[in-house]
Amino acid sequence: MNGRILIIDSDRNICELIRLSLEKEGYSVMIALDGGEGITQYYALKPDMVLLEVTLPTTDGWQICREIRKKSDIPVIFITSKSEIFDKVLGLELGADDYILKPFDTREVAARVKAVFRRYGLSKPSEKQKEIHYDGLDIDMNRYELKVRGEIVPTPPKELELLYYMASHPNTVFNRDQLLDEVWGYDYYGSSRTIDVHIKRLRKKIDGVSENWKLTTVWSVGYKFELRSDADNEKERKKP
């Protein structure tokens, strides 16, 4: 089990609090801030668990849970402020494994996550399984191997580590210093422009592989690994 958890909640602060708590426990955590993005990330990332708010922009949590249950029996936990018994019963009837009310203690969330994983026979995130798969892109950190459209593309270790880190946190914007800290470590004293060089080299390898994702520059801020929905791609195609 590689312990990949997707949080779908429009409250960024709550998402970050849960993310920090779960990452301390060794899980890999992704965040989506609305229902449409959540469904896109669910299909792209194939997480091992989904933490889900009911009230969301574009698509509500009930519908997302129904969508997940059509395809998969992965654990789903609702984390929501909807406290009516009817809501809790509906969530469980739709196939949710647990229902946590806001406000909550992040330690409780981590404990519930562990408990649900145990019920599925999964107890601790594996440090050995470090793989990410997107359309036309496979990153395997066990072998330090990058595949583009099924073909192995020779990639230096730091380039691969940078791509893996960003792809593990899709749609999250990182500035250069953050990426240096996470990938090179706090004791790195080189120029932050090192990131620009590595991003440029990565783009030569992966740009244009798929419409569903891309390495994006966020001007005056940094970079992100962007997951794109069909609606995003349609807007892009209609631009003059």
Side-chain angles (χ1 to χ4, degrees):
M1 196 273 285
N2 62 8
R4 290 162 56 80
I5 299 174
L6 173 61
I7 305 171
I8 309 176
D9 193 314
S10 57
D11 189 322
R12 185 182 295 275
N13 290 332
I14 286 178
C15 289
E16 287 299 327
L17 284 172
I18 298 173
R19 180 182 68 80
L20 290 171
S21 177
L22 293 178
E23 286 184 345
K24 285 180 182 177
E25 299 294 331
Y27 298 100
S28 175
V29 180
M30 295 74 68
I31 293 171
L33 297 176
D34 68 58
E37 180 188 356
I39 291 174
T40 297
Q41 289 206 32
Y42 167 73
Y43 283 114
L45 299 171
K46 297 179 175 61
D48 302 298
M49 176 183 285
V50 175
L51 305 185
L52 183 60
E53 170 60 279
V54 173
T55 307
L56 292 165
T58 68
T59 304
D60 68 32
W62 306 132
Q63 185 58 41
I64 292 173
C65 189
R66 290 187 185 98
E67 185 74 16
I68 291 172
R69 283 292 172 257
K70 289 178 184 177
K71 308 287 184 180
S72 172
D73 61 355
I74 68 163
V76 174
I77 299 177
F78 277 107
I79 300 181
T80 178
S81 57
K82 294 182 75 66
S83 60
E84 297 294 329
I85 292 297
F86 168 81
D87 295 312
K88 184 173 183 178
V89 171
L90 177 58
L92 297 174
E93 286 182 345
L94 287 174
D97 296 88
D98 206 343
Y99 196 98
I100 303 173
L101 288 176
K102 298 176 182 178
F104 53 78
D105 189 305
T106 55
R107 291 171 296 182
E108 178 191 2
V109 175
R112 298 276 195 103
V113 165
K114 287 181 184 178
V116 170
F117 271 140
R118 279 197 299 270
R119 292 205 297 270
Y120 278 73
L122 307 168
S123 58
K124 188 70 177 175
S126 170
E127 295 298 323
K128 295 180 181 179
Q129 295 181 348
K130 291 187 175 180
E131 301 177 21
I132 293 178
H133 305 281
Y134 290 102
D135 179 30
L137 182 72
D138 301 286
I139 308 167
D140 185 344
M141 296 306 294
N142 300 314
R143 300 181 179 182
Y144 264 75
E145 184 177 272
L146 173 66
K147 286 185 179 179
V148 177
R149 296 193 178 108
E151 298 293 328
I152 295 175
V153 177
T155 307
K158 283 303 177 190
E159 277 185 36
L160 194 59
E161 289 170 15
L162 177 62
L163 179 60
Y164 177 81
Y165 182 75
M166 295 180 69
S168 297
H169 302 83
N171 295 328
T172 301
V173 180
F174 297 101
N175 64 39
R176 294 175 181 85
D177 288 337
Q178 287 174 316
L179 293 172
L180 283 174
D181 287 344
E182 294 292 343
V183 178
W184 275 259
Y186 290 96
D187 57 350
Y188 179 78
Y189 296 104
S191 168
S192 63
R193 293 297 169 179
T194 297
I195 298 296
D196 300 343
V197 174
H198 282 70
I199 292 289
K200 183 177 180 180
R201 291 172 178 167
L202 283 169
R203 281 177 170 155
K204 288 182 179 178
K205 296 178 172 74
I206 67 174
D207 264 7
V209 170
S210 173
E211 287 189 335
N212 297 328
W213 54 263
K214 66 183 295 188
L215 275 181
T216 301
T217 300
V218 181
W219 297 109
S220 301
V221 182
Y223 301 99
K224 68 176 176 177
F225 186 93
E226 181 181 6
L227 284 185
R228 301 170 65 83
S229 65
D230 291 341
D232 293 330
N233 291 327
E234 185 64 26
K235 288 179 184 177
E236 191 70 25
R237 284 191 288 266
K238 288 182 177 178
K239 284 183 178 179

